[in-house]
Amino acid sequence: MKIYNTLTKQKEAFKPLKEGKVSMYVCGPTVYNYIHIGNARSAVAFDTIRRYLEYRGYDVNYVSNFTDVDDKIIHRGHELQLSPQEVAEKFIQAFYEDTTLLNIKKATLNPRVMESIEDIIQFVQDLIDKDYAYISKGDVYYRTNAFKDYGKLSGQSLDDLMSGASERVADEELSRKENPLDFALWKSAKDGEISWESPWGQGRPGWHIECSVMAIKHLGDTIDIHAGGHDLTFPHHENEIAQSEAKTGKQFANYWLHNGFVTFDGEKMSKSLGNFVVARDLLQQVDPQIVRFLLASAHYRHPLAFSESVLNEAENNLEKLRQAYRNIEYRLKKDAKEYENGQDKDILEKLNVLKEQFIAEMDDDFNVPNGLSVLYKLAKELNIYSEQPVVYREIAQNMLALFSELAEVFGIVLAESALIDEEILALIEERSQARANKDFKRSDAIRDYLKDQGIILDDTPQGTRFKRI
Ligand SMILES: [Zn+2]
């Protein structure tokens, strides 16, 4: 398998640290608002990569943080008259709801800053002890000059960076720093803001430090894959490398993956530009499987131009795949014959060839567009076979199994749910009872079971509703 590594700017053979296992850290959202399609695209892109790694037999330890301490959360709390904890909790729950609709697998772990303060303080202290950081008026800054590899990820030298840096920083902050490129590891508390006690006084962590701390704590000094949006390359990931490698003396991540932007009318979709589509608004209007399919169908490194017409195109393509599935399923139920011996063997061989083609395409830096074209070829085979005068059960089942298996890599469920409404409603009732009795293990198990059957639950003040995906 080959993966494009931002650090070396080339495709490299993928070799995990431990055979059969992949440690993967993905920078998660700042939880002050509902996610927009750009955020959802990043989550879908790395979920698809995770699914493919799992498809290839790797056991993936997938850690993605929630930034729950940040200026934006504090401001949002003032607006909503909520504490920062309440703001974070509200939007973390919303994140889980939206990503569940998009069939994004839950991370192995979602660590949060508020739960990691002690580890962060210890990490910062270690950097001070090693002279990679200094205290200035209650703040602690990273001493960028001390890390000779600074700039290696984004391909910039310290001199290049220096020439632009002084203009970017406000005067007040600049006066606290030895060098304009230095960045805050710890910020002294302002009046009335959430803060924690530290050896340097009351304060809170800077943004970059949390990812170094959480990645190392949960995945080890060196991780296999570190991923995030393209815009995080500099300064966020550059700073993560500087912090982590200064502390451990080891390479922080072996492969750096960055996903492309979602554009809208030719411009990057972002909250600051105000041209964003909120994921949950779209998911209410459009079948979530179509949105998932659209977001999963672009190459993760390329930009994705979002528009009404690409959404329609995704709908049509998904419907073609579903139709092919239904065609074979129909014959299977209606008149498939028991397999005798050797009939249609060439079709089984064809299936193997397509599977190998799929793996070859996806092994090449997760080339989703090419992988999808193999899925369309397979759909064509299904359509042709479903029109044969005689259809054999074993062949049809093999076709459906391979078709579902490959579709699942993209997070698409093609099988119609076998559950009827009454069964679903009975399970929803049982889940409500379990929740009332605080038996969350049972209630989660029911929700997960339904999800596996393609049924998504939506808890509203008026009760629980369900949706087939
Ligand atoms: Zn990060």
Side-chain angles (χ1 to χ4, degrees):
M1 188 186 300
K2 281 189 172 163
I3 300 185
Y4 181 86
N5 188 351
T6 310
L7 189 60
T8 56
K9 290 164 195 62
Q10 57 189 11
K11 282 186 199 169
E12 292 175 11
F14 180 59
K15 208 176 169 310
L17 290 160
K18 288 187 198 144
E19 212 188 311
K21 292 188 188 300
V22 177
S23 54
M24 187 163 174
Y25 185 90
V26 181
C27 290
T30 302
V31 281
Y32 73 106
N33 214 334
Y34 297 113
I35 58 168
H36 62 69
I37 291 297
N39 308 128
R41 191 261 164 117
S42 183
V44 166
F46 295 121
D47 179 67
T48 306
I49 287 175
R50 173 200 191 167
R51 283 169 179 269
Y52 184 67
L53 290 167
E54 288 174 346
Y55 179 68
R56 296 289 271 126
Y58 290 107
D59 177 9
V60 182
N61 191 355
Y62 191 99
V63 174
S64 185
N65 64 308
F66 286 130
T67 299
D68 59 353
V69 177
D70 185 89
D71 282 337
K72 292 182 201 123
I73 295 174
I74 295 169
H75 293 153
R76 189 80 169 139
H78 292 152
E79 272 171 37
L80 299 173
Q81 299 201 315
L82 294 173
S83 68
Q85 288 90 335
E86 289 167 331
V87 173
E89 200 53 47
K90 177 180 163 78
F91 292 110
I92 285 171
Q93 288 318 314
F95 176 86
Y96 283 135
E97 288 162 18
D98 296 343
T99 51
T100 301
L101 280 173
L102 286 166
N103 205 19
I104 292 169
K105 287 183 150 192
K106 238 181 165 178
T108 317
L109 191 73
N110 289 123
R112 307 180 188 187
V113 183
M114 286 197 210
E115 298 164 354
S116 314
I117 299 291
E118 259 179 58
D119 297 300
I120 291 173
I121 290 175
Q122 188 54 55
F123 198 116
V124 173
Q125 187 60 52
D126 288 349
L127 289 176
I128 296 172
D129 294 345
K130 291 186 166 192
D131 281 337
Y132 280 105
Y134 57 93
I135 307 160
S136 175
K137 297 179 187 166
D139 293 346
V140 181
Y141 290 99
Y142 187 90
R143 184 175 278 127
T144 317
N145 268 336
F147 186 69
K148 65 173 177 30
D149 284 340
Y150 195 78
K152 69 176 173 182
L153 181 69
S154 52
Q156 306 174 85
S157 71
L158 270 170
D159 288 344
D160 297 340
L161 290 164
M162 271 303 286
S163 57
S166 44
E167 296 148 29
R168 284 201 297 269
V169 184
D171 285 350
E172 198 276 326
E173 205 188 327
L174 198 59
S175 70
R176 301 180 190 212
K177 297 181 182 185
E178 289 177 1
N179 179 321
L181 283 179
D182 296 350
F183 55 91
L185 299 170
W186 186 264
K187 296 175 177 178
S188 56
K190 292 186 198 130
D191 278 348
E193 277 185 5
I194 185 166
S195 65
W196 289 264
E197 221 173 288
S198 80
W200 324 290
Q202 284 290 121
R204 61 187 166 96
W207 169 38
H208 312 294
I209 191 70
E210 65 183 77
C211 288
S212 288
V213 172
M214 291 171 181
I216 289 174
K217 181 177 181 189
H218 300 293
L219 297 171
D221 289 350
T222 302
I223 60 180
D224 291 308
I225 295 177
H226 193 309
H230 178 59
D231 51 342
L232 296 181
T233 313
F234 184 85
H236 184 55
H237 289 160
E238 202 70 76
N239 292 350
E240 281 190 44
I241 290 177
Q243 295 161 158
S244 307
E245 298 190 358
K247 180 177 185 291
T248 65
K250 297 175 197 159
Q251 171 139 340
F252 178 41
N254 285 338
Y255 302 88
W256 284 88
L257 274 65
H258 291 96
N259 73 274
F261 298 136
V262 173
T263 59
F264 197 60
D265 286 340
E267 255 190 302
K268 180 195 164 196
M269 190 183 283
S270 79
K271 278 177 187 153
S272 48
L273 290 173
N275 63 346
F276 61 93
V277 176
V278 175
R280 59 174 44 204
D281 293 346
L282 186 66
L283 292 170
Q284 277 184 355
Q285 294 155 18
V286 182
D287 175 355
Q289 281 277 294
I290 296 169
V291 181
R292 165 79 200 206
F293 186 59
L294 169 64
L295 298 179
S297 61
H299 193 295
Y300 76 96
R301 282 197 282 125
H302 296 174
L304 191 157
F306 182 82
S307 67
E308 191 79 30
S309 72
V310 291
L311 204 55
N312 291 337
E313 202 183 312
E315 181 171 9
N316 292 337
N317 288 336
L318 181 61
E319 183 48 31
K320 276 184 207 155
L321 296 176
R322 285 174 169 165
Q323 189 57 49
Y325 191 96
R326 284 194 293 264
N327 288 345
I328 284 283
E329 200 183 35
Y330 173 75
R331 290 297 301 271
L332 195 57
K333 284 180 184 159
K334 186 176 159 247
D335 62 357
K337 283 207 164 64
E338 287 310 317
Y339 205 50
E340 289 155 22
N341 39 19
Q343 295 96 336
D344 297 341
K345 226 178 175 179
D346 55 323
I347 295 178
L348 290 180
E349 274 158 25
K350 219 179 255 177
L351 294 183
N352 277 334
V353 169
L354 287 172
K355 181 173 172 167
E356 275 165 26
Q357 273 180 15
F358 176 80
I359 290 173
E361 297 295 359
M362 292 292 284
D363 268 3
D364 180 15
D365 192 31
F366 313 104
N367 194 326
V368 159
N370 289 358
L372 270 176
S373 64
V374 177
L375 195 65
Y376 293 130
K377 274 192 214 164
L378 180 57
K380 203 172 151 197
E381 295 298 331
L382 264 71
N383 287 334
I384 293 171
Y385 194 63
S386 69
E387 286 176 8
Q388 299 297 308
V390 179
V391 162
Y392 290 99
R393 181 176 301 279
E394 175 149 340
I395 305 285
Q397 279 171 340
N398 269 303
M399 284 186 140
L400 286 182
L402 180 63
F403 200 42
S404 301
E405 184 181 304
L406 302 190
E408 247 176 61
V409 169
F410 304 108
I412 325 162
V413 182
L414 294 170
E416 304 279 350
S417 172
L419 291 177
I420 58 165
D421 290 6
E422 281 78 0
E423 291 170 315
I424 298 166
L425 291 171
L427 283 166
I428 288 175
E429 177 54 31
E430 195 196 327
R431 177 171 167 269
S432 304
Q433 287 297 331
R435 275 165 34 123
N437 298 331
K438 299 212 177 331
D439 183 2
F440 297 115
K441 220 174 146 188
R442 179 67 192 143
S443 65
D444 286 349
I446 293 172
R447 192 197 54 216
D448 292 346
Y449 168 74
L450 287 170
K451 194 183 153 213
D452 288 343
Q453 307 297 316
I455 309 288
I456 292 295
L457 300 183
D458 184 15
D459 293 313
T460 73
Q462 291 77 38
T464 302
R465 297 191 197 133
F466 72 87
K467 190 169 193 173
R468 292 175 196 274
I469 57 170

